[in-house]
Amino acid sequence: MSLFGSKGHRHLDGHKELTKHEEIISLVSGDNMVKQVYFPTMSPNGKPITYTVKEGDYVKVGSKIGTRTDFYVPIYCSVSGVVQASKMVFSPQVGRAIQHVVIANDGQYVEEEPLKTVTLSSSKEEIFEAIKEAGLVGMGGAGFPTYIKYNNPKNIDTLLVNGVECEPYLTTDFIAMQQDVDNLLLGCEYLMKASGAKRAIIAFKVHKDEVKEAIEAKLSAHENITICEVPDQYPMGWERTLVKQVLKKEYDKLPSEAGAVVNNAQTVISLGKVLSTGKVITNRLVTVSGDGVNHPTNVLCPIGTLASELVSSCGGYVEGDINLIPGGPMCAKAVKQDDFPILLQMGSLTILKFKQVETVPCLRCGACTMNCPAGLQPVEIKIAFERKDTDRMEKLNIMSCVECGMCSYVCPSHIEVTESVKKAKMIYRLMKK
């Protein structure tokens, strides 16, 4: 089948109306101000994070308190206050409880000295170093360190800004692009300089008139930046799909093969802020939405705020059993507890009423294959996983799966195909070591 034809793309009910025009709740100050923030001692891949603070130390907003060991990514404090004893707290990224550094918020928000700033006249190398020190990771959910994309880029023609936000319920990109067009465009200019790109294209879904009007009002001063409206289909926000849709190009492993570098819209906005002011990102906007929460809206919170505090600020859970999903409902997995911290890459908590679904045997209908945006055969991968047949998994190109959730969504038998493929990828990695 064609990888980028009509197959593999599907319009989903976005449920965006629940939050996109609601008033933002702030947990940064006032009566709702959080009392503590939590920072994990492990990266999402299980590698340790080295912290340079200890119990009793005083830290400020923007204090560098640690560094990841898998990649160089500095960890910055989101509040001012005193470091308390570490605590075991659940991590949905790692999948279990791990030690977290706990900092008591004194409510004063005393700021650390800012980082070194750069301008658009700074050298490519200076801008790269500033991006690296900013401590940013992809804010669209992937969490990949941003600076790595700009480490000696070659033959880059286009910076593609991903503001598609194709997961249902999420509206933080939609709001951020409207509210901070200046930093969105400034971030584009910085990243074009860092990558050597000749142009930038800001992509978002059709019918996002508020975003379109806000950006167009300021585009005249940026002749090499344009916008592109893309179809309201899932998973249009997957960078491989987006590159094909906007640039009409395909690639094997990385977008750079198609002359492009892709960044989430909020990542670009954040870079515009950090590089021009030296103030690191310590807060983020999170969509709390779904039919399982009383008052869906977007919440501004310090990095490290527990998810339970966001839910409480939105009126708590509705009565009955619910599914709490740290992320969008298509890609993320429900968890059984809400005492985990919000990290920089986490843009949503999707809360849905629990619905009992009966699973029946596979009908061999082919729906999962017909709707896979990566052109895979998900049910065949599931069978290979059950047989622990890694050679078959390899032939089925298992590592090309992006875990978008489409196969489970379309399955008439209600089989959790995506979950089986995720487990298959884990087994494949272990057995191929």
Side-chain angles (χ1 to χ4, degrees), residues 332-359:
K333 181 181 178 181
V335 296
K336 295 182 179 180
Q337 54 200 97
D338 58 11
D339 60 340
F340 58 86
I342 300 297
L343 306 182
L344 187 60
Q345 63 266 34
M346 295 172 63
S348 68
L349 297 173
T350 307
I351 306 169
L352 304 174
K353 292 179 181 178
F354 176 77
K355 296 178 181 178
Q356 188 68 45
V357 178
E358 182 181 356
T359 299

Side-chain angles (χ1 to χ4, degrees), residues 34-274:
V34 297
K35 302 298 189 293
Q36 294 176 318
V37 289
Y38 298 74
F39 294 90
T41 57
M42 282 187 182
S43 301
N45 59 7
K47 300 293 184 180
I49 298 174
T50 301
Y51 283 89
T52 55
V53 294
K54 62 184 184 302
E55 185 177 355
D57 286 351
Y58 180 78
V59 292
K60 302 176 183 178
V61 176
S63 291
K64 184 177 177 180
I65 59 175
T67 308
R68 282 173 57 168
T69 58
D70 51 346
F71 299 99
Y72 174 78
V73 180
I75 308 298
Y76 295 106
C77 190
S78 56
V79 300
S80 60
V82 176
V83 179
Q84 299 184 318
S86 63
K87 184 178 180 181
M88 292 290 287
V89 174
F90 178 66
S91 166
Q93 291 76 32
V94 180
R96 57 184 172 85
I98 60 173
Q99 289 288 342
H100 282 67
V101 173
V102 184
I103 299 172
N105 183 7
D106 65 9
Q108 300 302 305
Y109 290 94
V110 180
E111 295 186 355
E112 188 64 82
E113 288 295 316
L115 302 178
K116 181 181 178 181
T117 60
V118 290
T119 67
L120 294 176
S121 60
S122 299
S123 69
K124 183 176 180 179
E125 293 72 24
E126 288 173 324
I127 293 176
F128 169 76
E129 288 300 324
I131 296 172
K132 184 175 182 179
E133 203 59 38
L136 287 174
V137 297
M139 295 177 69
F144 187 73
T146 302
Y147 74 91
I148 293 177
K149 297 182 179 183
Y150 297 90
N151 186 11
N152 194 30
K154 296 179 180 178
N155 303 315
I156 300 299
D157 174 77
T158 305
L159 167 68
L160 185 52
V161 179
N162 186 350
V164 176
E165 203 165 40
C166 63
E167 275 267 15
Y169 296 99
L170 281 63
T171 56
T172 61
D173 285 352
F174 174 81
I175 291 171
M177 287 192 291
Q178 291 178 69
Q179 293 187 343
D180 207 348
V181 176
D182 288 336
N183 276 312
L184 174 63
L185 298 175
L186 180 58
C188 286
E189 297 284 4
Y190 276 124
L191 293 180
M192 282 193 288
K193 182 75 178 281
S195 64
K198 301 178 180 64
R199 62 174 180 167
I201 301 174
I202 302 171
F204 49 86
K205 285 185 190 175
V206 293
H207 310 310
K208 302 298 182 184
D209 295 337
E210 298 97 326
V211 171
K212 181 178 180 179
E213 292 169 5
I215 297 175
E216 284 186 333
K218 298 189 176 183
L219 268 186
S220 60
H222 304 268
E223 60 181 17
N224 294 327
I225 303 176
T226 58
I227 62 172
C228 178
E229 297 175 274
V230 299
D232 185 1
Q233 297 175 341
Y234 181 86
M236 190 56 65
W238 179 30
E239 64 181 14
R240 188 181 292 271
T241 306
L242 191 61
V243 167
K244 177 62 178 179
Q245 177 69 36
V246 177
L247 303 182
K248 312 304 178 188
K249 294 180 180 180
E250 298 182 36
Y251 58 86
D252 182 24
K253 295 180 179 179
L254 297 171
S256 57
E257 298 164 22
V261 60
V262 184
N263 280 110
N264 166 261
Q266 286 188 79
T267 307
V268 176
I269 291 170
S270 296
L271 277 169
K273 293 178 182 177
V274 180

